[in-house]
Amino acid sequence: MNKYIVTLLIFLSSITLWGQSPKYEVRAAWLTTIGGIDWPHSYQAEAQKRELTNTLDLLQQAGINTILVQTRVRGTTIYPSDIEPWDGCITGTPGKRASYDPLQLCIEECHKRNMECHAWMVTIPVGKWNNLGCKQLRQKHPRLIKRIGDDGYMDPEQAETGDYLARMCREIVSRYDVDGIHLDYIRYPETWKIKVSRAKGREYITNIVRKVNLAVKSQKPWVKLSCSPIGKYDDLRRYRAGGWNARTAVCQDAQAWLQNGLMDALFPMMYFQDNQFFPFAIDWQEQSAGRMVIPGLGIYFLDPREGNGKWTLDQFTRQMNVSRNLGMGHCFFRTKFFIDNIKGIYDFTRHFNRTPALVPPMTWAGQQAPTEPKALNLKGNTLSWQASQDRSDAPYLFYNIYASEDFPVDITKAENLVATRLRKTSLLVPVCGKNYAVTAMNRYGQESKPTQLLLNAGSRYIAPTINKTDGRHIALPPKGAALDAQYVIIETLDGRQVDIRPYGKTLRVDHLPNGIYQLRSLGKKGRNHRIGFFSLKR
């Protein structure tokens, strides 16, 4: 890869920074549960639930559309498994059953926020030799676990390893409405002295992937299978990987898994800078076989305690821009560093992801797009439609809503996308001179043709006229004596909170991207009421 091409990509990224974001893009975060380092930070169930919903709210507000939640931790789980014991991160005591199902809660709350939820499975490592997860595995499967130092690992050279991991993934897919299974450490450990040839080692690891793929796809073929390979696949012609790569160092043939149809997506752990990042990102994209590759960004290095203070925000913003230009998206490791806004990474991302994005469709799955919904209608402030009648192997369809002053509404533009992945067949919207379109979307992410609706302005619309004095505000309706309103909440039409400000005569809007928004008042007792809508088009 020519260094001047990389420089050009970086330059182009600065041009598109505040341009239109794409309609299709994976925007993800790893939610780590081991030791509760991302979540949970309490052993009290109600506190855990509140923390999770607050975390997901923050992720949604930053445009994140995919959550990878650590589900199998170290031979232990965060759900009631028939195969492995509970992890101690939930109750404080390994093996002790929780009073609720954390995985089910995470799935439900992600779906409420129109986000995908993928079960992140740590595969080969099973923790300290005498800890509960490893100990029980050794007792039940004595030939399966190898010891390296103080830790135990599943032996990738034993056929039983693939059978066991496939059984675990099948248990989750059959019980839960997950959107994906995400395999971590699906490779030889770096401390393992590999005695077989590298080709044979890759065959062993690939056999595990093949068994998991069959277990997942035979249950629910729309569930995405992904993994997080080492961030550099192998040495490139002009750039060496420094001895640490997926294919040769740890026998992780991830690009072949995309090309052979064993994986739907990869989240390579690209925790590197400059020429150790950009050429390898391009290599991943060029070898993706039309499937999804989402660079994992090591934003934990922004914390001086992790990265010795040497990583800057600018290094990650350039990586995000280049990845977007390559059509690859981004995934943050880890969630806590992101929502803690270390060095401004959260603030930047909220602006960077300024319009919603859909996860790219699984076009390779061979499924037909659904037929369009029927009878799109607006009555009062309720936009409604008749569900698509397609028969499918998936249990339900989603619906996406678009709005524009132009007609017909152009559904290829992300700026027109106002609500995504709705399960219901209605939505409260403003009558504001916008025209609407709705599409049906199947579990593979494939959209129908749009059903269009042409409208005129109505009375509940708050005029979007910007204050002539400064160009930054709109007028709010008077509170009156009956309205208990201390704050005004700005939300997207699908309920994603964008901002909250003290209730006054005007509302500052210059920081918002173009789009349609709804306003809610928030009173002293926590009650909120919808007070109207407004739209911005500059």
Side-chain angles (χ1 to χ4, degrees):
M1 183 66 201
N2 190 300
K3 66 180 180 179
Y4 299 108
I5 296 177
V6 174
T7 303
L8 177 60
L9 282 169
I10 297 170
F11 172 71
L12 288 175
S13 73
S14 66
I15 295 175
T16 60
L17 174 57
W18 301 113
Q20 183 58 53
S21 58
K23 174 182 171 178
Y24 292 111
E25 185 173 64
V26 175
R27 303 166 179 175
W30 279 288
L31 183 63
T32 311
T33 59
I34 187 169
I37 56 177
D38 281 341
W39 174 81
H41 293 127
S42 166
Y43 296 132
Q44 203 276 328
E46 293 307 312
Q48 291 179 0
K49 294 175 185 179
R50 287 193 299 270
E51 183 189 3
L52 179 62
T53 56
N54 290 338
T55 295
L56 294 178
D57 281 343
L58 289 169
L59 293 171
Q60 182 196 34
Q61 290 162 26
I64 300 301
N65 59 21
T66 303
I67 305 300
L68 310 172
V69 58
Q70 193 172 30
T71 302
R72 186 192 193 223
V73 185
R74 290 294 188 274
T76 51
T77 69
I78 66 162
Y79 70 96
S81 171
D82 294 336
I83 304 171
E84 291 189 337
W86 282 86
D87 190 76
C89 71
I90 304 298
T91 63
T93 303
K96 183 178 178 181
R97 186 182 183 91
S99 61
Y100 74 105
D101 187 336
L103 177 58
Q104 180 63 30
L105 177 68
C106 191
I107 294 168
E108 290 175 355
E109 294 298 326
C110 283
H111 289 175
K112 286 179 184 177
R113 292 160 179 80
N114 310 319
M115 298 188 291
E116 291 195 359
C117 184
H118 296 216
W120 162 14
M121 310 290 285
V122 178
T123 56
I124 300 299
V126 291
K128 298 299 179 184
W129 190 251
N130 288 314
N131 283 1
L132 181 62
C134 183
K135 187 176 180 179
Q136 285 199 6
L137 266 172
R138 290 192 289 112
Q139 292 170 346
K140 294 179 180 179
H141 306 275
R143 295 178 58 252
L144 200 56
I145 308 302
K146 300 295 184 183
R147 182 170 185 167
I148 303 177
D150 295 330
D151 296 300
Y153 298 87
M154 302 189 78
D155 187 349
E157 297 173 8
Q158 297 289 331
E160 189 181 358
T161 292
D163 297 333
Y164 184 92
L165 292 171
R167 182 183 167 206
M168 288 215 67
C169 293
R170 186 183 298 110
E171 178 181 61
I172 290 174
V173 172
S174 63
R175 290 185 183 180
Y176 297 95
D177 188 21
V178 291
D179 300 286
I181 293 290
H182 179 66
L183 305 180
D184 191 13
Y185 284 98
I186 188 69
R187 57 180 172 86
Y188 278 87
E190 54 268 32
T191 51
W192 190 292
K193 295 181 180 179
I194 305 175
K195 297 180 180 180
V196 299
S197 68
R198 286 304 191 268
K200 189 65 176 177
R202 288 191 287 273
E203 182 181 334
Y204 282 130
I205 301 297
T206 297
N207 284 340
I208 298 173
V209 173
R210 185 174 290 108
K211 289 179 178 180
V212 172
N213 177 282
L214 179 61
V216 170
K217 299 297 184 177
S218 63
Q219 293 281 322
K220 296 175 182 175
W222 61 87
V223 171
K224 299 176 180 69
L225 184 61
S226 68
C227 73
S228 51
I230 301 300
K232 292 173 277 192
Y233 177 66
D234 215 334
D235 289 338
L236 303 178
R237 185 164 57 89
R238 296 194 57 180
Y239 294 92
R240 298 191 61 80
W244 183 233
N245 59 69
R247 185 174 184 271
T248 300
V250 293
C251 300
Q252 195 173 37
D253 206 1
Q255 289 183 356
W257 299 340
L258 289 181
Q259 294 157 5
N260 296 335
L262 294 179
M263 287 275 173
D264 299 298
L266 302 178
F267 294 78
M269 300 180 291
M270 302 193 68
Y271 310 157
F272 313 106
Q273 298 180 20
D274 302 324
N275 284 339
Q276 291 298 300
F277 179 92
F278 298 109
F280 294 93
I282 293 170
D283 177 61
W284 284 114
Q285 191 276 333
E286 289 178 342
Q287 303 302 322
S288 65
R291 302 197 176 199
M292 291 177 270
V293 179
I294 305 93
L297 307 182
I299 60 169
Y300 64 97
F301 282 130
L302 289 170
D303 191 318
R305 294 168 294 182
E306 299 282 347
N308 299 318
K310 295 181 180 179
W311 286 66
T312 63
L313 177 63
D314 178 66
Q315 290 167 319
F316 288 104
T317 61
R318 285 188 289 121
Q319 290 181 358
M320 290 170 68
N321 273 284
V322 169
S323 296
R324 175 166 288 178
N325 280 320
L326 292 171
M328 300 175 74
H330 47 270
C331 183
F332 295 123
F333 187 80
R334 304 183 337 254
T335 291
K336 187 177 187 303
F337 295 98
F338 180 58
I339 63 177
D340 283 352
N341 199 26
I342 304 297
K343 293 186 179 177
I345 183 64
Y346 182 86
D347 290 339
F348 170 82
T349 304
R350 284 190 65 174
H351 288 284
F352 187 72
N353 294 339
R354 60 201 218 132
T355 59
L358 298 173
V359 173
M362 299 166 66
T363 54
W364 51 88
Q367 296 293 310
Q368 291 185 344
T371 58
E372 62 269 29
K374 304 296 183 183
L376 182 59
N377 181 51
L378 184 70
K379 186 175 182 179
N381 288 104
T382 300
L383 187 71
S384 63
W385 56 92
Q386 292 180 2
S388 173
Q389 298 302 308
D390 280 18
R391 298 184 64 181
S392 171
D393 57 355
Y396 53 81
L397 296 173
F398 300 110
Y399 298 95
N400 300 318
I401 310 300
Y402 302 80
S404 173
E405 292 180 359
D406 298 325
F407 190 85
V409 178
D410 187 348
I411 69 166
T412 67
K413 293 182 177 180
E415 65 190 76
N416 293 338
L417 190 58
V418 296
T420 64
R421 290 174 58 89
L422 298 179
R423 295 272 294 273
K424 57 187 180 181
T425 55
S426 64
L427 180 70
L428 288 174
V429 298
V431 184
C432 58
K434 294 278 187 177
N435 305 302
Y436 288 98
V438 61
T439 62
M441 184 173 73
N442 63 22
R443 297 298 299 272
Y444 302 89
Q446 294 169 301
E447 277 190 288
S448 71
K449 295 179 180 179
T451 299
Q452 304 270 355
L453 180 63
L454 179 63
L455 293 172
N456 295 313
S459 59
R460 289 202 62 193
Y461 174 55
I462 297 176
T465 304
I466 304 300
N467 187 301
K468 295 181 180 179
T469 59
D470 58 17
R472 298 183 300 174
H473 298 79
I474 61 170
L476 288 175
K479 288 196 291 184
L483 182 60
D484 172 24
Q486 285 189 309
Y487 298 94
V488 60
I489 302 171
I490 308 173
E491 294 181 346
T492 58
L493 290 187
D494 58 356
R496 178 167 58 93
Q497 183 176 312
V498 176
D499 203 353
I500 181 169
R501 296 292 177 93
Y503 203 108
K505 293 182 179 180
T506 61
L507 178 69
R508 185 167 179 174
V509 296
D510 63 321
H511 63 298
L512 300 175
N514 291 342
I516 304 176
Y517 301 89
Q518 57 183 333
L519 295 176
R520 289 182 176 273
S521 65
L522 180 64
K524 295 179 181 179
K525 297 181 180 179
R527 297 175 180 171
N528 68 82
H529 304 277
R530 182 178 293 103
I531 57 175
F533 302 86
F534 71 95
S535 67
L536 293 176
K537 184 175 182 180
R538 302 177 178 90

